Amino acid sequence: MAVGVTAAAEASVGVAQLLDPNRKWYNNRRLVFNISSIGRRTLTTIVPSRSLITLHAWVVLIIIISSANGFDGSLMNSFQSLYQWEDYFHSPSGSLLGVLSAMQNIGSLAAYPFAPYLSDGIGRRATIFIGAIITIAGVAVQSASYNIGMFIAGRFLVGFGVCFATNAAPLLVTEISYPPYRAPLTSLYNSLWYSGNVIASWTTYGTAYIPNQWSWRIPSIIQGIPAFIQLVLVMFAPESPRWLIAKGKEAQGLHILAYYHADGNEQDPLVQFEFEEIKAAIAFDRQVNKNVNWFTLFATPGNRKRIIIAVAIGWFSQWSGNGLVSYYLNKVFDTIGITSTTTQLLITGILAIWNLVISIWASFLVDKVGRRPLFLWATGGCLVFFILQTICSAQYALHQQPAAAHSVIAFIFLFYGFYDLAFTPLIVTYTCEILPHSLRAKGLTVFSVGVSLALIFNQYVNPVALQRLAWKYYIFYCCWIAFEFVFLYFMLIETKNRTLEETAALFDDKDISQDVAAVVEDIRREEKDTPSEKASEEVVEAISTLAGDPYVLDFHQSARDPEK
């Protein structure tokens, strides 16, 4: 692996040199010159460009699907604390409660065989659009349910639709993002799961005081808002330039890269580097992975390692003890004597905010700290605080000590503080970046299947196990988290500060940067022969200051009158 790692590191330095240090998402200092004539005078208007801000507005639209996913994942937890929902559906428990909780993921499993073909076939945007339509249909059925069968059917449809959107959305985010922000934005995608968690928890907390069916129907209806917003707007968003280039639409792909990464300048050094690197990576990928199908995921040693890691981190994200809290927190409360509906919903809401804050903070550390350290810190912290949670649960069960119950709540918060360092922000980011373009949609689907299978197992088994074993069931997770730490320590490869193409190439010992080295050298040579863009900006700023008007400059008058 030494060749791949070295090559990727060198290429990343090249990309860093091509980035405009003044180009930030909140303050884009590149300028667009609008030239117009008024009589004999030529006026050049200097207008601050907003292309990067616009790009991030589209990214926000795309990542809210994660919020919808988090809303539904938390809804069942909140519903179980509502006596109105319990009474209406005759207090489902045991295996029936497991089916209710798992049905969204069963719906996702049914859609998985089709999702990557849509993402790769009709594009990322259209796949999100179709997913939004199905999700809204599922929300309508679930919200109008008058029996348990209809409620289950609605959850199945929601899961089926969300699967299409969650397959395409992270791909689109990671493939259109401006290079310095790619990893944090992709990490924010999964972190915003907790924004849905927060909305679901506090909405249900508020509607809990409605003494009828609307206490659970209103939160269910709100669940469809993100999908409705995407349905209206997503087709106006930019398509993935990598998908366009792979489909032979190179001019369109180059246009999107230029428009959003360089204010429309197709000759910008960064845009040319990205464009050539994407083409080189796709060409190499087609040589290595000819006739791409599901078996291609296991055809080479590099692909097999990718899939093993992707499935593992997906499975670990649901098997680190968090499944007990995420879906059956009220059952955990029951085991430690906290039975008040108001108290349970209040703690759930505060925990949701805590998780959202920590995971967003961690999203901005991924390129500063690195993937391996965050995963290892997360797993080690989860192990320590889950063991402490197990001990305190046992103390309460054996001795009925109130202090032990309060300690369980504290350790749940500390457990999630570490869990959210990696298993919330990084699992989708890491999976997307280690997969080459041709396998990204299918590989992400396999990752998602692993997540769903783990969820289905947890959601079906956990209520039964908690009912029969209580705190003793926690011991299994203590042993499993220890295994996770060992696996991640030996298997994870560091990928920070590399482009998508460089990261994917690490697993194939292929130096993609060599294929674009000549292009980059040409770009740099041209930059040496012409004034740099930074120097041009400084000249413009100086002239505008002397002219007394920062927006309108008369270049002809300035040329005729040297003193001015």
Side-chain angles (χ1 to χ4, degrees):
M1 284 294 171
V3 175
V5 173
T6 302
E10 292 173 351
S12 294
V13 172
V15 170
Q17 291 177 350
L18 297 174
L19 295 172
D20 181 356
N22 292 324
R23 189 173 175 79
K24 307 295 184 182
W25 72 268
Y26 56 86
N27 182 23
N28 184 1
R29 292 189 60 192
R30 292 197 176 195
L31 303 176
V32 176
F33 293 78
N34 296 325
I35 301 175
S36 59
S37 296
I38 302 178
R40 296 180 179 179
R41 303 184 62 173
T42 300
L43 298 179
T44 301
T45 306
I46 305 177
V47 184
S49 171
R50 298 289 180 243
S51 62
L52 200 57
I53 297 175
T54 303
L55 175 61
H56 290 120
W58 287 124
V59 168
V60 170
L61 171 71
I62 297 164
I63 64 179
I64 61 172
I65 188 60
S66 183
S67 179
N69 197 22
F71 193 104
D72 184 76
S74 309
L75 209 55
M76 281 304 302
N77 197 6
S78 298
F79 281 173
Q80 292 171 56
S81 296
L82 291 177
Y83 74 87
Q84 300 94 324
W85 183 86
E86 290 273 329
D87 292 344
Y88 191 79
F89 291 113
H90 309 294
S91 301
S93 61
S95 60
L96 178 58
L97 182 58
V99 169
L100 275 170
S101 297
M103 189 50 62
Q104 182 201 357
N105 291 292
I106 294 173
S108 293
L109 276 177
Y112 282 140
F114 312 105
Y117 290 105
L118 284 180
S119 292
D120 285 339
I122 65 176
R124 308 334 190 188
R125 294 180 309 167
T127 304
I128 295 172
F129 181 81
I130 292 173
I133 293 174
I134 300 173
T135 300
I136 291 171
V139 168
V141 173
Q142 178 178 301
S143 303
S145 297
Y146 57 84
N147 58 43
I148 197 70
M150 192 172 175
F151 191 86
I152 290 174
R155 285 185 58 75
F156 178 89
L157 281 175
V158 169
F160 195 86
V162 164
C163 175
F164 291 115
T166 55
N167 181 264
L171 301 180
L172 187 53
V173 170
T174 200
E175 291 172 357
I176 66 173
S177 295
Y178 190 59
Y181 303 131
R182 178 187 59 78
L185 286 175
T186 311
S187 301
L188 273 176
Y189 166 81
N190 212 50
S191 297
L192 287 185
W193 189 94
Y194 282 120
S195 66
N197 183 213
V198 169
I199 297 169
S201 300
W202 287 100
T203 299
T204 311
Y205 179 78
T207 60
Y209 297 96
I210 301 176
N212 54 49
Q213 301 166 25
W214 287 105
S215 61
W216 60 268
R217 293 191 192 275
I218 289 176
S220 185
I221 292 170
I222 293 174
Q223 181 184 3
I225 293 176
F228 178 78
I229 295 173
Q230 287 187 324
L231 180 69
V232 174
L233 296 176
V234 74
M235 293 308 293
F236 297 101
E239 182 55 271
S240 162
R242 288 168 172 82
W243 180 83
L244 290 168
I245 293 169
K247 292 296 182 181
K249 302 176 181 179
E250 294 185 0
Q252 295 181 39
L254 177 60
H255 173 73
I256 288 177
L257 285 173
Y259 184 83
Y260 288 103
H261 292 186
D263 303 326
N265 181 11
E266 294 186 359
Q267 300 306 313
D268 182 271
L270 173 64
V271 170
Q272 284 296 312
F273 182 90
E274 289 184 289
F275 183 60
E276 295 298 334
E277 189 177 46
I278 291 169
K279 289 197 299 181
I282 290 173
F284 169 72
D285 194 29
R286 284 172 176 165
Q287 292 177 359
V288 175
N289 300 310
K290 296 179 180 178
N291 301 319
V292 175
N293 53 48
W294 291 103
F295 295 105
T296 310
L297 294 171
F298 310 95
T300 67
N303 288 353
R304 287 192 290 273
K305 185 169 184 178
R306 290 180 176 107
I307 292 303
I308 289 172
I309 293 174
V311 171
I313 62 175
W315 192 275
F316 294 168
S317 70
Q318 304 304 322
W319 263 47
S320 297
N322 57 301
L324 292 175
V325 179
S326 295
Y327 292 91
Y328 298 102
L329 184 56
N330 68 309
K331 303 298 181 186
V332 174
F333 286 150
D334 291 342
T335 64
I336 57 176
I338 298 176
T339 57
S340 167
T341 295
T342 302
T343 303
Q344 288 186 0
L345 290 173
L346 184 60
I347 295 174
T348 300
I350 295 172
L351 181 61
I353 295 174
W354 167 260
N355 286 330
L356 179 63
V357 171
I358 297 295
S359 57
I360 289 178
W361 173 67
S363 296
F364 293 99
L365 297 177
V366 294
D367 276 338
K368 296 179 180 179
V369 177
R371 280 60 157 167
R372 272 180 57 84
L374 286 175
F375 268 114
L376 294 177
W377 273 101
T379 311
C382 284
L383 177 61
V384 170
F385 288 109
F386 202 84
I387 290 174
L388 293 173
Q389 181 182 331
T390 303
I391 293 171
C392 291
S393 296
Q395 286 298 310
Y396 180 81
L398 297 174
H399 306 293
Q400 301 296 308
Q401 297 176 351
H406 297 155
S407 297
V408 169
I409 301 301
F411 289 138
I412 286 175
F413 275 80
L414 291 171
F415 166 86
Y416 266 108
F418 280 91
Y419 176 92
D420 292 328
L421 290 178
F423 288 110
T424 298
L426 270 178
I427 55 174
V428 172
T429 301
Y430 196 79
T431 300
C432 286
E433 62 189 14
I434 67 175
L435 291 163
H437 175 80
S438 65
L439 301 179
R440 196 164 289 141
K442 289 183 174 63
L444 187 61
T445 298
V446 174
F447 157 84
S448 300
V449 168
V451 171
S452 291
L453 288 174
L455 278 170
I456 290 170
F457 179 88
N458 280 347
Q459 292 165 347
Y460 189 80
V461 172
N462 282 347
V464 178
L466 279 173
Q467 189 175 24
R468 296 182 180 180
L469 299 176
W471 65 269
K472 297 182 183 68
Y473 184 48
Y474 296 176
I475 297 174
F476 164 77
Y477 283 107
C478 293
C479 299
W480 179 261
I481 298 171
F483 165 76
E484 289 180 4
F485 184 88
V486 175
F487 178 94
L488 294 172
Y489 182 84
F490 287 104
M491 290 296 289
L492 285 191
I493 295 175
E494 185 55 69
T495 62
K496 72 173 182 176
N497 296 324
R498 298 186 175 99
T499 67
L500 281 177
E501 285 67 36
E502 292 162 1
T503 300
L506 286 175
F507 291 80
D508 297 309
D509 282 338
K510 168 65 177 177
D511 184 4
I512 292 296
S513 62
Q514 288 180 351
D515 294 330
V516 294
V519 176
V520 176
E521 287 304 317
D522 289 341
I523 292 170
R524 290 175 178 166
R525 194 176 300 113
E526 290 176 4
E527 283 192 303
K528 290 179 182 178
D529 296 336
T530 58
S532 68
E533 181 174 0
K534 183 177 180 181
S536 299
E537 288 182 1
E538 292 173 352
V539 171
V540 168
E541 289 177 3
I543 294 174
S544 63
T545 301
L546 290 173
D549 186 342
Y551 296 104
V552 181
L553 305 176
D554 185 342
F555 287 106
H556 287 268
Q557 180 64 30
S558 298
R560 287 194 300 269
D561 188 354
E563 293 182 359
K564 188 173 181 180

